Amino acid sequence: MPLARKRQICLTDTPYYHCVSRCVRRAYLCGKDNITGKSFEHRRQWVEDRLLFLSTVFAIDVCAYAIMSNHSHVVLHVNVNDANQWTDKQVCARWHKLHKGTLLTQQFLSSETTSFSAPELDSLQATLSIYRQRLMDISWFMRELNEPIARKANHEDQCTGHFWEGRFKSQALLDEHAIAACMVYVDLNPIRAKLATTPETSKHTSVRRRIIDLKHGKQTSTLMPFVSNVLPRQTTVIPFNLIDYLKLVDLSGRSLHPTKSGAINMNQSPILQRLGFDEQTWNTLFSSFEETFSVAAGQNDTLKSYKRRRRHKRLVA
């Protein structure tokens, strides 16, 4: 008998969790139907887009993800401090990105001068307290991720019924070793399934998104950033160096998993060479990132293009 969700997720143990959702009967409802030949690959983009949108609404950071043909993996971090620091207006505005809310919350958000009676204020505060708790609740996060996808898929298929299995599986990640190992495992899923040959070609994964953005001189704003030198009270970062993480993914992907058939070809050059970076460039890039996450950093051609755009903006301003 499965454990109750509240016993599986305990933030006093760890704020990091690995969650897996599977399609009913493990059918390929997000892949290609081998019988009819019809492709449902576009649904994987639905899941990825929804996941990254939710990371901007909830007090939950996405560390890693992989959207497969019949299941999805996410590594999540619950940021309780952020949720507790939001104002009531911020809580209300975030929840209204997902749902209409109540008449009271709509009035509260739409006007700065709306006066409420004492019972209305009590009701409003109780509602906002519920919203705040939901916005840092992994079960609500997964619900808001999976339910819209199920509705869209059923509408497309002109059918009703379950799209996902009734419950997602959650796994507590208790230390940095577990976090790193799980993130690597998640990012290597397409390679293990022979859907890709390298991390940079693994579609609908966090590692590919990070690589694309880093080649443009930035860290992905919708994913939890990597920072090796973590400052005191800095909880919204992954405490690793991304250079080392990419190397770890590349190295781990070359070894054949005992239960999987896919692996990175041993003849492939190291990942930093494939991406066109040398070690010194990477170190310079990340020393800048650790000073500020959104700094302009990149290779020479990227920086020149960035400076031209900045110069043009100043001239037209």
Side-chain angles (χ1 to χ4, degrees):
M1 182 176 178
L3 287 173
R5 185 67 61 204
K6 64 182 179 182
R7 293 180 60 189
Q8 292 185 36
I9 298 176
C10 179
L11 299 183
T12 57
D13 293 333
T14 178
Y16 290 91
Y17 288 86
H18 170 220
C19 301
V20 184
S21 296
R22 295 190 181 278
C23 296
V24 289
R25 301 178 303 280
R26 302 196 180 189
Y28 287 83
L29 300 180
C30 296
K32 185 176 181 179
D33 189 327
N34 293 327
I35 298 176
T36 65
K38 186 175 181 180
S39 175
F40 300 101
E41 280 293 305
H42 57 283
R43 293 178 181 172
R44 293 209 285 161
Q45 191 64 53
W46 290 356
V47 179
E48 184 175 12
D49 291 344
R50 181 70 179 177
L51 174 67
L52 297 179
F53 164 69
L54 291 176
S55 73
T56 68
V57 177
F58 279 76
I60 294 178
D61 307 300
V62 177
C63 303
Y65 67 85
I67 315 301
M68 305 298 288
S69 296
N70 63 352
H71 66 284
S72 65
H73 292 268
V74 290
V75 178
L76 303 175
H77 169 263
V78 181
N79 195 333
V80 177
N81 290 336
D82 267 11
N84 289 334
Q85 290 173 10
W86 291 337
T87 65
D88 287 344
K89 287 278 188 181
Q90 288 174 318
V91 170
C92 195
R94 285 172 177 266
W95 186 257
H96 281 211
K97 291 181 180 181
L98 304 172
H99 300 284
K100 293 181 179 179
T102 66
L103 182 60
L104 280 176
T105 60
Q106 291 171 8
Q107 291 174 346
F108 174 69
L109 195 60
S110 64
S111 175
E112 294 288 342
T113 58
T114 302
S115 59
F116 298 101
S117 65
E120 287 175 331
L121 277 175
D122 290 341
S123 177
L124 178 62
Q125 288 300 319
T127 301
L128 293 177
S129 178
I130 292 171
Y131 290 172
R132 192 185 298 271
Q133 288 299 319
R134 288 177 179 177
L135 288 171
M136 53 179 170
D137 187 301
I138 285 181
S139 291
W140 270 93
F141 184 96
M142 297 301 293
R143 173 179 176 175
E144 295 293 339
L145 172 62
N146 290 339
E147 284 190 1
I149 303 303
R151 287 194 296 269
K152 287 180 69 174
N154 284 349
H155 177 75
E156 186 177 63
D157 292 339
Q158 297 183 338
C159 69
T160 59
H162 292 291
F163 181 82
W164 304 101
E165 289 181 351
R167 299 179 65 183
F168 66 91
K169 176 185 175 184
S170 63
Q171 183 180 37
L173 306 175
L174 300 178
D175 54 38
E176 292 183 6
H177 297 285
I179 296 166
C182 186
M183 289 177 62
V184 170
Y185 165 77
V186 168
D187 277 327
L188 285 176
N189 255 251
I191 292 173
R192 298 305 189 197
K194 287 190 171 182
L195 297 177
T197 56
T198 60
E200 60 269 31
T201 60
S202 299
K203 294 182 179 179
H204 308 294
T205 61
S206 52
V207 69
R208 183 172 185 266
R209 178 167 289 272
R210 290 184 190 277
I211 287 170
I212 290 172
D213 284 344
L214 283 169
K215 291 181 77 173
H216 289 86
K218 60 182 181 180
Q219 286 220 50
T220 308
S221 60
T222 49
L223 294 175
M224 199 172 182
F226 282 83
V227 174
S228 58
N229 297 323
V230 181
L231 299 175
R233 298 182 181 180
Q234 198 172 49
T235 60
T236 57
V237 297
I238 302 170
F240 314 133
N241 186 309
L242 184 49
I243 304 173
D244 296 333
Y245 178 74
L246 291 177
K247 289 180 179 179
L248 182 61
V249 171
D250 194 53
L251 181 63
S252 301
R254 292 170 188 266
S255 61
L256 191 64
H257 193 278
T259 63
K260 305 291 182 179
S261 57
I264 299 172
N265 192 308
M266 294 297 290
N267 294 326
Q268 284 277 4
S269 57
I271 188 167
L272 297 187
Q273 291 183 22
R274 298 200 306 269
L275 298 178
F277 286 98
D278 57 50
E279 192 76 25
Q280 184 176 357
T281 303
W282 274 100
N283 288 329
T284 302
L285 179 65
F286 277 91
S287 63
S288 299
F289 273 133
E290 292 181 3
E291 294 170 6
T292 173
F293 304 150
S294 58
V295 70
Q299 298 184 91
N300 288 334
D301 55 346
T302 308
L303 287 171
K304 288 178 182 178
S305 177
Y306 171 80
K307 290 176 181 178
R308 284 196 299 270
R309 292 195 302 272
R310 295 284 292 182
R311 192 181 303 114
H312 177 71
K313 287 181 179 179
R314 286 197 297 269
L315 292 174
V316 300

